[in-house]
Amino acid sequence: MTNLSPHLPAVQPPVFFDASGTRWPRLLNVLLAAGLTIVLVLGAVLPAATAPLQQGSMNQSPDYPRRLLAQQDVTDIPRVGYEQGNEIFHRIDLVERRDGIDLLKDPFSNQVWREATAEEAAAIGDKPYAVEAYGLPPDHTLMLTFDDGPDPRFTPQILDLLSREGVPATFFAVGENVVENPDIFRRMVREGHMVGNHTMSHIDFWAHDDAYNRQEIIGEDRVMRAADNYASRLFRIPTGNPENNTLALLQAQQLGYLHVNMDLDTRDWEYSPGTPIPPPDLDGLGHVMLVHDGGGDRTATIQMLKKFIPEAKAQGYRFTTLEPMLPAGFVPQRSVTAGIQDDLTLGALTAYLVTPNVVMNWLFWFGVGSLTILTFLFVVLALVNNARQKRRKWNLPHAKDWPFVSVILPVFNEEPVVTKTLDALRASDYPRFEVVAVNDGSTDGTLAVLNDYAHSWPQLRVYSQPNSGKPAASNYGISESHGQIIVTLDGDTLFEPQTIRMLARHFMVPRGEKEVGAVAGHVKVGNRRNLVACWQSLEYLSGICVTRMAEGLMGAISIVPGACAGWRKEALVKAGGYPATTLAEDADLTLSLQQLGYSIVQENEAVAWTEAPLTLRGLFKQRLRWTYGNIQTLYKHRSMLFNPKFGALGMLTMPYALISVLVPLVFMPLAVGVAVLSLSRGEWQAIALFAAFVTTTHMVISVVAVLMVHESPLHLLIVPFYRIIYEPLRAYVVFGSAIRALRGSAVGWYKPQRTNSATLPSSPADRLPLPQTSAGGSPG
């Protein structure tokens, strides 16, 4: 009829147990193969992804530009070609002296560009290289160039303005902004504008090494190719000033890019958003004009352009891109074929720049939304249930007619604490009960303490068995019990005098259509001696007083704690007693009773004080067992998940428990990575806001819990520090449990070291008086 006998062997292995022992090695082999595949792919692709897209015929070593520049004082480089003052292209010329003349050459090929004039030769002297400016815009021609975009706020407005005015322009885009706003970049190209390279992140070339500088240019080139099959060899130095940024100029030139300067600088970046920017004066010459579409608030820039463009047209100017001036081979291509290295570059940078923000935003709003809804729902339901319980009228029989209760006390090496536990039980005000203690093969003096105590207290019966685990010991005690109601507790748990009575009364009064199968008591931390114990006290308080009270109103309690619980013996027998296939046998048994059609209720007046771990190590070990056991239980009873037959239990409580495991497994590493990246970029506001919201929400729950059971408001002092322990703990138990499930090895029971530190309060609050006269009803 039952499997409550301790002599029957377990017929089912633990959930997730892998008897073959091959699951973990096979999984490791798969992970190793995947890791090697990734390494091989990266090894094959990375060199190509970081290679230059244009290759010169000589002097291609990455350190060549610095070595060349070091041959003279970079603050006193000769300048050639500066005749009119509005030349817009710049390059470094090698100087070769041949037959008494100075030839200006390309440093990266044997190409001679031209012969230096006598004045230029005099200025060059014996210097090995010079900076050359060349390329004059045609008269009455304006070439608008925009730096630092695309910006999602201002670039679309500028594109709208240019479209209305029929003005083409050239955008020197920052690669990171292209990655973050690819649609705007594609719009630029689609609407006939030209795009040039402004490095990936607007860097100072002198502040970085050669490899980094090169990848800033190459990376953006590949990003544009992958984003819209667009290739551009136009380059502009961040902050401009090529004469003083010769390293950037020469490194871009080595990579095959043409530097484009400007000669008409609006200096719009100097103006605050509310300050009007004066339109530049025009003189009839051609100009390359610098404005910005990114890097700050460009409202004033847009307002200036709205005035400037019509005025320039009225003066006979025509607008064009840089194309009419570009040397052969430097006109951007609009239909290149992106290679795998281009796509991988864009993908990697998207993962770094875009995905963190998307994930952070999703997690932020998902967290805020779900936490707000669940907090409001659970707080309201808990308050309603608490109010109902306080208003409830109990039609209970006379005390002498209350049902007989059997208190089951499984113990293993509880010598330091078991006497105190028995003393608390002995002080109970319940009129008719026995205590069945089962010694589970203790190796200390626990059995002797129990036998000595039984000599002075006939209500205590002592049994002993070889060490078989807590479920087996509990089932042994149940099989030897005489009561209609079973009350369970742990060897270190101290019951308040009214606790058994508060549990038992629920079995004597009908409750709806379902019989009460179990009653969950209120477990409190009885050794609040340090921060770790106080943290657990707050956790117990908020979890029981709010979460479980709310679940109780919905008929969705998923865990009746074995440390303080009442059970209908008939229901225990039908369920087969405590199961040994999971480490959360109380949760497992609770769900089994729900499947059998019994109801589960919460009773906050049934108070038990337990000994909580006083160290982080002990806390983490205990919670790892709890979490792993709960995961086993969810898997074992997976048929109840999303099953409307079980109401809110199957549709809310159990799915939420599952999500609380699966979401951290998937998103916690990503969230941590995103947070680290965000903080490294100085983007801490969203993280701080979410942390403040979570803390505030937890404060609301804690306040409700404290007021509900008249607990000490000192608990609220723990709230600001709660997440400091909770988040590392959650990561440890979730991933630790997942690893144990995948390993499939047997996991033993973790029993914390007893310190005999739990105590009962000197004057327990709100103890209910034992009824002395019959108020109607019948014994349960």
Side-chain angles (χ1 to χ4, degrees), residues 4-83:
L4 300 182
S5 170
H7 309 294
L8 294 178
V11 295
Q12 291 181 325
V15 175
F16 301 134
F17 180 68
D18 177 25
S20 68
T22 62
R23 181 194 302 159
W24 185 245
R26 283 188 281 114
L27 178 62
L28 291 180
N29 287 335
V30 170
L31 292 176
L32 179 60
L36 288 175
T37 301
I38 292 173
V39 170
L40 291 174
V41 169
L42 288 177
V45 175
L46 194 58
T50 58
L53 289 106
Q54 292 81 219
Q55 196 77 27
S57 60
M58 56 188 292
N59 297 330
Q60 291 300 300
S61 172
D63 66 344
Y64 173 79
R66 287 186 196 268
R67 288 191 286 110
L68 175 59
L69 294 175
Q71 294 180 23
Q72 63 172 298
D73 183 1
V74 294
T75 64
D76 187 28
I77 302 173
R79 300 181 182 184
V80 298
Y82 291 77
E83 298 176 0

Side-chain angles (χ1 to χ4, degrees), residues 174-410:
V174 173
E176 290 183 352
N177 294 337
V178 173
V179 173
E180 293 174 354
N181 306 285
D183 290 341
I184 301 176
F185 167 70
R186 286 190 281 266
R187 180 183 171 186
M188 292 175 179
V189 176
R190 184 176 65 250
E191 295 185 358
H193 303 292
M194 189 173 284
V195 184
N197 191 319
H198 205 41
T199 73
M200 279 300 305
S201 56
H202 205 272
I203 63 165
D204 175 2
F205 276 69
W206 292 110
H208 298 88
D209 61 35
D210 299 326
Y212 188 93
N213 291 344
R214 288 163 64 91
Q215 289 312 307
E216 280 281 318
I217 301 173
I218 295 170
E220 178 165 8
D221 198 338
R222 295 196 181 281
V223 162
M224 289 193 288
R225 289 167 179 261
D228 198 32
N229 302 111
Y230 190 84
S232 178
R233 297 176 63 186
L234 305 181
F235 174 74
R236 177 173 283 169
I237 300 171
T239 72
N241 195 6
E243 296 85 1
N244 293 315
N245 278 310
T246 47
L247 179 61
L249 179 62
L250 190 56
Q251 287 185 324
Q253 188 176 328
Q254 183 188 39
L255 293 172
Y257 295 86
L258 173 67
H259 180 262
V260 180
N261 201 24
M262 49 73 198
D263 69 297
L264 191 61
D265 189 354
T266 62
R267 304 189 70 83
D268 59 338
W269 52 272
E270 291 182 335
Y271 293 83
S272 58
T275 305
I277 300 173
D281 295 327
L282 299 174
D283 54 8
L285 298 177
H287 296 285
V288 174
M289 177 173 158
L290 172 62
V291 281
H292 292 79
D293 66 319
D297 190 319
R298 300 303 169 213
T299 305
T301 299
I302 295 171
Q303 295 304 316
M304 181 271 290
L305 288 173
K306 288 179 179 179
K307 296 179 181 180
F308 173 74
I309 293 175
E311 291 175 359
K313 287 180 177 179
Q315 296 180 40
Y317 274 86
R318 68 183 186 93
F319 290 86
T320 181
T321 64
L322 294 169
E323 184 168 353
M325 293 188 59
L326 295 178
F330 286 97
V331 176
Q333 302 174 55
R334 298 173 180 267
S335 57
V336 297
T337 301
I340 185 173
Q341 58 270 34
D342 304 321
D343 294 330
L344 287 176
T345 300
L346 178 60
L349 290 169
T350 300
Y352 174 73
L353 296 170
V354 179
T355 302
N357 291 331
V358 172
V359 171
M360 183 63 75
N361 287 334
W362 188 89
L363 290 176
F364 179 86
W365 291 113
F366 174 80
V368 168
S370 61
L371 196 58
T372 300
I373 293 171
L374 289 175
T375 298
F376 178 79
L377 175 66
F378 275 65
V379 166
V380 170
L381 293 178
L383 290 173
V384 170
N385 197 15
N386 186 61
R388 284 189 177 183
Q389 287 195 4
K390 289 184 178 297
R391 292 196 306 266
R392 184 176 181 184
K393 304 298 183 182
W394 292 90
N395 296 318
L396 298 171
H398 192 279
K400 64 183 179 63
D401 296 323
W402 284 35
F404 192 72
V405 170
S406 294
V407 179
I408 308 303
L409 178 64

Side-chain angles (χ1 to χ4, degrees), residues 401-612:
D401 296 323
W402 284 35
F404 192 72
V405 170
S406 294
V407 179
I408 308 303
L409 178 64
V411 290
F412 173 72
N413 288 350
E414 305 284 4
E415 182 181 5
V417 297
V418 71
T419 297
K420 189 184 292 186
T421 300
L422 292 170
D423 288 342
L425 289 173
R426 197 168 187 174
S428 172
D429 62 18
Y430 194 77
R432 305 175 60 224
F433 74 98
E434 66 174 350
V435 177
V436 181
V438 180
N439 173 54
D440 187 36
S442 297
T443 58
D444 62 359
T446 299
L447 182 58
V449 172
L450 291 174
N451 287 330
D452 287 345
Y453 206 103
H455 289 313
S456 61
W457 191 30
Q459 288 174 243
L460 171 64
R461 291 189 288 126
V462 180
Y463 296 88
S464 190
Q465 68 174 21
N467 182 253
S468 304
K470 184 180 177 181
S474 298
N475 290 338
Y476 190 177
I478 294 168
S479 68
E480 298 295 336
S481 66
H482 300 144
Q484 301 167 266
I485 299 171
I486 302 296
V487 169
T488 58
L489 76 164
D490 292 339
D492 67 329
T493 303
L494 307 179
F495 274 10
E496 289 188 0
Q498 81 285 356
T499 295
I500 298 176
R501 179 165 50 93
M502 294 298 102
L503 293 171
R505 65 179 178 170
H506 287 273
F507 297 97
M508 291 182 279
V509 179
R511 182 185 175 92
E513 299 178 357
K514 295 182 179 181
E515 275 192 316
V516 173
V519 182
H522 186 178
V523 181
K524 297 184 177 182
V525 173
N527 57 335
R528 305 169 188 174
R529 298 189 172 189
N530 61 14
L531 178 63
V532 175
C534 290
W535 182 91
Q536 293 170 84
S537 181
L538 175 64
E539 184 198 30
Y540 281 32
L541 190 65
S542 57
I544 291 172
C545 295
V546 176
T547 304
R548 201 178 297 155
M549 284 292 286
E551 292 174 348
L553 187 65
M554 297 184 291
I557 293 177
S558 59
I559 300 177
V560 175
C564 182
W567 310 83
R568 188 180 297 275
K569 185 175 182 179
E570 176 188 4
L572 287 179
V573 171
K574 287 183 180 179
Y578 280 100
T581 53
T582 68
L583 289 181
E585 72 286 342
D586 46 7
D588 193 346
L589 179 57
T590 302
L591 295 182
S592 294
L593 292 189
Q594 300 267 30
Q595 286 182 299
L596 290 171
Y598 291 99
S599 67
I600 311 294
V601 298
Q602 172 67 29
E603 176 53 76
N604 282 345
E605 299 291 350
V607 181
W609 297 81
T610 191
E611 183 177 304

